[in-house]
Amino acid sequence: MITPGNRMHPLDEAIALRVTERLDLPHEFTGATHPAYANMVGPFGGTTAAQLLQAALLHPERLGEPVALTVNFAAPVADGEIRFVARPVRTNRSTQHWIIEAHQTAHDTEGVVATATAVFAVRRETWSDVEAVMPANVPAPDAVPRMPVQGMPAWPQRYDMRFVEGAFPLAFDEQEQTHSRSTLWVRDEPERALDFASLAALSDSFFPRIYIRRRRRAMIGTVSLTTYFHADSALMAQVGTRHVLGVAKALNYRHGYFDQTGELWSPEGQLLASTHQLVYFKD
Protein backbone atom coordinates (compact mmCIF):
# COMPACT_ATOMS: atom_id res chain seq x y z
CA MET A 1 0.00 0.00 0.00
CA ILE A 2 1.11 3.58 -0.68
CA THR A 3 1.42 6.10 2.15
CA PRO A 4 0.31 9.74 1.78
CA GLY A 5 3.89 10.59 0.73
CA ASN A 6 3.56 8.20 -2.25
CA ARG A 7 5.97 5.71 -0.71
CA MET A 8 5.28 2.06 0.00
CA HIS A 9 4.20 1.52 3.59
CA PRO A 10 6.95 0.01 5.80
CA LEU A 11 4.71 -2.96 6.63
CA ASP A 12 4.23 -3.71 2.94
CA GLU A 13 7.99 -3.55 2.49
CA ALA A 14 8.39 -5.95 5.43
CA ILE A 15 5.92 -8.50 4.03
CA ALA A 16 7.07 -8.22 0.41
CA LEU A 17 8.00 -11.86 -0.16
CA ARG A 18 9.64 -13.06 -3.35
CA VAL A 19 8.49 -16.27 -4.98
CA THR A 20 11.23 -18.85 -5.43
CA GLU A 21 11.48 -19.47 -9.15
CA ARG A 22 12.78 -23.04 -8.88
CA LEU A 23 10.22 -25.56 -10.09
CA ASP A 24 11.29 -28.06 -7.42
CA LEU A 25 10.51 -25.51 -4.67
CA PRO A 26 6.94 -24.39 -5.45
CA HIS A 27 6.07 -23.64 -1.83
CA GLU A 28 9.02 -21.38 -0.98
CA PHE A 29 9.24 -17.60 -0.59
CA THR A 30 12.08 -15.33 0.44
CA GLY A 31 11.82 -12.25 2.63
CA ALA A 32 13.83 -10.35 5.20
CA THR A 33 13.56 -8.48 8.45
CA HIS A 34 12.91 -4.75 8.16
CA PRO A 35 14.67 -2.04 10.19
CA ALA A 36 11.40 -0.14 10.69
CA TYR A 37 10.15 -3.05 12.83
CA ALA A 38 13.31 -3.74 14.82
CA ASN A 39 12.94 -4.67 18.48
CA MET A 40 15.56 -4.47 21.20
CA VAL A 41 16.90 -7.79 19.90
CA GLY A 42 15.83 -9.01 16.47
CA PRO A 43 12.53 -8.08 14.79
CA PHE A 44 9.08 -7.34 16.23
CA GLY A 45 7.31 -10.69 16.49
CA GLY A 46 4.12 -9.32 14.97
CA THR A 47 5.96 -8.67 11.72
CA THR A 48 7.26 -12.23 11.66
CA ALA A 49 3.70 -13.48 12.19
CA ALA A 50 2.50 -11.27 9.33
CA GLN A 51 5.24 -12.62 7.05
CA LEU A 52 4.31 -16.23 7.85
CA LEU A 53 0.67 -15.47 7.08
CA GLN A 54 1.63 -13.62 3.92
CA ALA A 55 3.40 -16.72 2.61
CA ALA A 56 0.06 -18.54 2.66
CA LEU A 57 -1.87 -15.52 1.37
CA LEU A 58 0.43 -15.34 -1.68
CA HIS A 59 0.34 -19.08 -2.38
CA PRO A 60 -1.39 -19.94 -5.67
CA GLU A 61 -3.29 -22.83 -4.03
CA ARG A 62 -4.86 -20.66 -1.31
CA LEU A 63 -8.55 -21.16 -0.60
CA GLY A 64 -10.61 -18.47 1.15
CA GLU A 65 -9.44 -16.16 3.92
CA PRO A 66 -7.60 -16.80 7.19
CA VAL A 67 -9.66 -17.56 10.27
CA ALA A 68 -6.86 -18.72 12.62
CA LEU A 69 -3.08 -18.41 12.86
CA THR A 70 -0.76 -19.90 15.49
CA VAL A 71 2.92 -18.99 15.46
CA ASN A 72 5.50 -20.80 17.58
CA PHE A 73 8.80 -18.98 17.93
CA ALA A 74 11.36 -21.77 17.98
CA ALA A 75 14.52 -19.63 18.09
CA PRO A 76 15.52 -15.98 18.01
CA VAL A 77 15.00 -14.44 14.56
CA ALA A 78 18.16 -12.72 13.39
CA ASP A 79 18.30 -9.62 11.24
CA GLY A 80 18.60 -10.57 7.60
CA GLU A 81 17.06 -12.89 5.03
CA ILE A 82 14.32 -15.38 5.92
CA ARG A 83 13.14 -18.32 3.83
CA PHE A 84 9.46 -19.22 4.17
CA VAL A 85 7.95 -22.58 3.29
CA ALA A 86 4.13 -22.66 3.09
CA ARG A 87 2.28 -25.89 2.39
CA PRO A 88 -1.48 -26.53 2.27
CA VAL A 89 -1.58 -29.91 4.03
CA ARG A 90 -5.31 -30.49 3.55
CA THR A 91 -7.95 -28.76 1.47
CA ASN A 92 -11.60 -29.50 2.12
CA ARG A 93 -14.65 -28.06 0.40
CA SER A 94 -14.64 -24.85 2.44
CA THR A 95 -11.58 -25.05 4.72
CA GLN A 96 -7.87 -25.32 4.16
CA HIS A 97 -5.13 -26.20 6.64
CA TRP A 98 -1.57 -24.88 6.40
CA ILE A 99 1.86 -25.55 7.84
CA ILE A 100 4.29 -22.65 7.40
CA GLU A 101 7.96 -22.49 8.40
CA ALA A 102 10.52 -19.70 8.65
CA HIS A 103 14.14 -20.74 8.07
CA GLN A 104 17.37 -18.84 8.56
CA THR A 105 21.02 -19.70 8.07
CA ALA A 106 23.17 -18.90 11.09
CA HIS A 107 26.76 -20.00 11.58
CA ASP A 108 26.52 -21.99 8.35
CA THR A 109 23.72 -24.11 9.80
CA GLU A 110 20.21 -24.15 8.35
CA GLY A 111 17.56 -23.91 11.05
CA VAL A 112 13.87 -23.35 11.65
CA VAL A 113 13.29 -20.17 13.67
CA ALA A 114 9.47 -20.17 13.65
CA THR A 115 6.65 -22.47 12.67
CA ALA A 116 3.00 -21.67 12.08
CA THR A 117 -0.27 -23.43 11.47
CA ALA A 118 -3.12 -21.59 9.80
CA VAL A 119 -6.70 -22.33 8.89
CA PHE A 120 -8.32 -20.62 5.91
CA ALA A 121 -12.00 -20.82 5.08
CA VAL A 122 -14.60 -19.73 2.58
CA ARG A 123 -16.89 -17.68 4.80
CA ARG A 124 -20.65 -17.79 4.40
CA GLU A 125 -23.52 -15.79 5.81
CA THR A 126 -24.94 -17.29 9.00
CA TRP A 127 -26.54 -16.19 12.26
CA SER A 128 -24.02 -14.02 14.08
CA ASP A 129 -23.69 -12.48 17.53
CA VAL A 130 -20.98 -11.14 19.84
CA GLU A 131 -20.86 -12.24 23.49
CA ALA A 132 -17.68 -10.31 24.25
CA VAL A 133 -18.31 -6.75 25.39
CA MET A 134 -16.42 -3.79 23.99
CA PRO A 135 -15.37 -1.32 26.72
CA ALA A 136 -17.97 1.43 27.14
CA ASN A 137 -17.53 5.19 27.48
CA VAL A 138 -14.10 5.17 25.87
CA PRO A 139 -13.02 8.62 24.65
CA ALA A 140 -12.52 9.04 20.93
CA PRO A 141 -8.97 8.62 19.59
CA ASP A 142 -8.60 12.35 18.95
CA ALA A 143 -9.34 13.00 22.63
CA VAL A 144 -6.46 10.80 23.83
CA PRO A 145 -2.80 11.83 23.40
CA ARG A 146 -0.49 9.60 21.42
CA MET A 147 2.05 7.64 23.44
CA PRO A 148 5.53 9.21 23.18
CA VAL A 149 7.87 6.88 21.30
CA GLN A 150 11.14 8.80 21.45
CA GLY A 151 13.94 6.53 22.62
CA MET A 152 11.92 3.34 22.11
CA PRO A 153 12.82 0.56 19.64
CA ALA A 154 11.76 1.06 16.04
CA TRP A 155 8.60 -1.08 16.06
CA PRO A 156 6.48 0.98 18.53
CA GLN A 157 7.18 3.99 16.32
CA ARG A 158 5.26 2.20 13.56
CA TYR A 159 2.06 2.39 15.63
CA ASP A 160 -0.06 5.30 16.77
CA MET A 161 -1.01 4.16 20.29
CA ARG A 162 -3.39 6.20 22.44
CA PHE A 163 -3.79 4.66 25.90
CA VAL A 164 -6.98 5.06 27.89
CA GLU A 165 -5.55 2.89 30.69
CA GLY A 166 -2.57 0.60 31.28
CA ALA A 167 0.02 2.60 29.36
CA PHE A 168 3.63 1.52 29.00
CA PRO A 169 5.40 2.64 32.20
CA LEU A 170 7.11 6.02 32.05
CA ALA A 171 9.54 4.61 34.60
CA PHE A 172 10.27 1.08 35.77
CA ASP A 173 9.85 2.00 39.44
CA GLU A 174 8.90 -1.56 40.54
CA GLN A 175 5.58 -0.31 41.95
CA GLU A 176 3.46 -3.40 41.39
CA GLN A 177 -0.04 -2.75 40.05
CA THR A 178 -3.23 -4.62 40.90
CA HIS A 179 -3.85 -5.65 37.28
CA SER A 180 -2.22 -5.57 33.86
CA ARG A 181 -5.24 -4.45 31.83
CA SER A 182 -4.64 -2.01 28.97
CA THR A 183 -7.20 -0.23 26.79
CA LEU A 184 -5.95 1.79 23.85
CA TRP A 185 -6.70 3.05 20.38
CA VAL A 186 -4.10 1.85 17.88
CA ARG A 187 -3.41 2.00 14.15
CA ASP A 188 -0.44 1.70 11.80
CA GLU A 189 1.89 4.68 11.54
CA PRO A 190 1.89 6.00 8.91
CA GLU A 191 -1.77 5.13 8.54
CA ARG A 192 -2.59 2.09 6.43
CA ALA A 193 -5.85 0.37 5.51
CA LEU A 194 -6.48 -2.68 7.68
CA ASP A 195 -6.02 -6.13 6.15
CA PHE A 196 -5.15 -9.61 7.39
CA ALA A 197 -1.39 -9.01 7.48
CA SER A 198 -1.69 -5.81 9.49
CA LEU A 199 -4.32 -7.37 11.78
CA ALA A 200 -1.92 -10.25 12.48
CA ALA A 201 0.83 -7.79 13.39
CA LEU A 202 -1.50 -5.63 15.49
CA SER A 203 -2.40 -8.71 17.52
CA ASP A 204 1.16 -8.73 18.86
CA SER A 205 1.38 -4.98 19.46
CA PHE A 206 0.31 -5.19 23.11
CA PHE A 207 3.31 -4.61 25.38
CA PRO A 208 4.22 -7.55 27.64
CA ARG A 209 1.74 -7.65 30.50
CA ILE A 210 4.45 -8.24 33.08
CA TYR A 211 5.86 -4.77 32.31
CA ILE A 212 2.47 -3.22 33.01
CA ARG A 213 1.83 -5.28 36.15
CA ARG A 214 5.24 -5.11 37.84
CA ARG A 215 6.81 -2.01 36.28
CA ARG A 216 10.04 -3.96 36.40
CA ARG A 217 12.37 -4.80 33.54
CA ALA A 218 12.56 -8.49 32.72
CA MET A 219 13.96 -10.55 29.89
CA ILE A 220 10.93 -11.83 27.96
CA GLY A 221 10.14 -13.62 24.74
CA THR A 222 6.94 -14.80 23.09
CA VAL A 223 6.82 -18.58 22.80
CA SER A 224 3.46 -19.06 21.08
CA LEU A 225 1.02 -16.57 19.55
CA THR A 226 -2.48 -17.40 18.32
CA THR A 227 -4.80 -15.01 16.52
CA TYR A 228 -8.41 -15.69 15.55
CA PHE A 229 -9.65 -13.51 12.70
CA HIS A 230 -13.32 -12.71 13.28
CA ALA A 231 -13.38 -10.06 10.55
CA ASP A 232 -13.54 -10.69 6.85
CA SER A 233 -12.19 -8.45 4.11
CA ALA A 234 -15.44 -6.50 3.82
CA LEU A 235 -15.50 -5.60 7.51
CA MET A 236 -11.85 -4.56 7.47
CA ALA A 237 -12.55 -2.37 4.44
CA GLN A 238 -15.15 -0.55 6.55
CA VAL A 239 -12.51 0.12 9.20
CA GLY A 240 -10.08 1.44 6.60
CA THR A 241 -7.25 3.49 8.11
CA ARG A 242 -9.03 4.38 11.35
CA HIS A 243 -7.89 3.43 14.83
CA VAL A 244 -9.11 0.16 16.32
CA LEU A 245 -9.67 -0.37 20.02
CA GLY A 246 -7.34 -2.81 21.73
CA VAL A 247 -7.90 -4.47 25.11
CA ALA A 248 -5.30 -6.73 26.73
CA LYS A 249 -4.75 -8.46 30.05
CA ALA A 250 -2.91 -11.40 31.59
CA LEU A 251 -4.53 -14.33 33.37
CA ASN A 252 -1.61 -15.99 35.14
CA TYR A 253 2.12 -15.70 35.89
CA ARG A 254 3.89 -18.85 37.04
CA HIS A 255 7.18 -20.73 36.76
CA GLY A 256 8.73 -18.36 34.25
CA TYR A 257 5.77 -18.06 31.89
CA PHE A 258 2.72 -15.82 31.63
CA ASP A 259 -0.13 -15.59 29.18
CA GLN A 260 -1.79 -12.54 27.74
CA THR A 261 -5.06 -12.24 25.91
CA GLY A 262 -6.24 -9.40 23.71
CA GLU A 263 -9.14 -8.15 21.65
CA LEU A 264 -9.23 -5.75 18.71
CA TRP A 265 -12.50 -3.91 18.03
CA SER A 266 -13.73 -1.74 15.20
CA PRO A 267 -14.89 1.78 16.17
CA GLU A 268 -18.48 0.57 15.62
CA GLY A 269 -18.09 -2.30 18.10
CA GLN A 270 -17.40 -5.26 15.83
CA LEU A 271 -14.85 -7.74 17.22
CA LEU A 272 -12.14 -7.95 14.56
CA ALA A 273 -9.73 -10.40 16.20
CA SER A 274 -8.96 -12.08 19.49
CA THR A 275 -5.45 -13.14 20.40
CA HIS A 276 -3.69 -15.25 22.99
CA GLN A 277 -0.02 -15.76 23.63
CA LEU A 278 2.36 -17.47 26.02
CA VAL A 279 5.43 -15.50 27.04
CA TYR A 280 8.64 -16.62 28.74
CA PHE A 281 10.11 -14.34 31.39
CA LYS A 282 13.29 -14.48 33.44
CA ASP A 283 12.99 -13.31 37.03
Side-chain angles (χ1 to χ4, degrees), residues 1-16 34 36-37 155 157-160 187-195 198 201 241:
M1 296 184 183
I2 304 300
T3 66
N6 292 324
R7 294 185 58 184
M8 182 178 285
H9 194 282
L11 181 62
D12 292 292
E13 294 177 349
I15 63 173
H34 195 290
Y37 292 93
W155 80 262
Q157 301 178 42
R158 298 280 64 81
Y159 291 100
D160 181 333
R187 72 177 179 191
D188 286 290
E189 177 61 37
E191 63 184 53
R192 179 188 184 278
L194 191 66
D195 60 16
S198 61
T241 62

Side-chain angles (χ1 to χ4, degrees), residues 173-180 211-215:
D173 55 15
E174 301 195 9
Q175 297 298 307
E176 187 166 319
Q177 306 300 295
T178 58
H179 64 79
S180 65
Y211 289 173
I212 312 302
R213 175 69 186 272
R214 302 190 74 191
R215 291 187 180 176

Side-chain angles (χ1 to χ4, degrees), residues 202-262:
L202 277 169
S203 295
D204 193 37
S205 66
F206 299 108
F207 291 110
R209 297 296 89 196
I210 198 167
Y211 289 173
I212 312 302
R213 175 69 186 272
R214 302 190 74 191
R215 291 187 180 176
R216 180 180 180 180
R217 293 191 184 277
M219 183 182 297
I220 61 95
T222 299
V223 178
S224 185
L225 167 65
T226 294
T227 299
Y228 299 117
F229 302 98
H230 305 297
D232 59 7
S233 295
L235 179 54
M236 287 188 287
Q238 294 175 19
V239 175
T241 62
R242 294 179 295 161
H243 289 83
V244 299
L245 187 71
V247 183
K249 65 179 181 180
L251 299 179
N252 192 70
Y253 311 82
R254 189 182 301 275
H255 299 155
Y257 295 89
F258 67 91
D259 70 314
Q260 61 185 49
T261 181

Side-chain angles (χ1 to χ4, degrees), residues 16 47 75 83 95 105 110 119 127 182 184 202 214 216 222 235 245 273 277 280:
T47 314
R83 182 169 60 90
T95 61
T105 301
E110 179 77 3
V119 179
W127 174 84
S182 291
L184 71 153
L202 277 169
R214 302 190 74 191
R216 180 180 180 180
T222 299
L235 179 54
L245 187 71
Q277 65 177 272
Y280 160 83

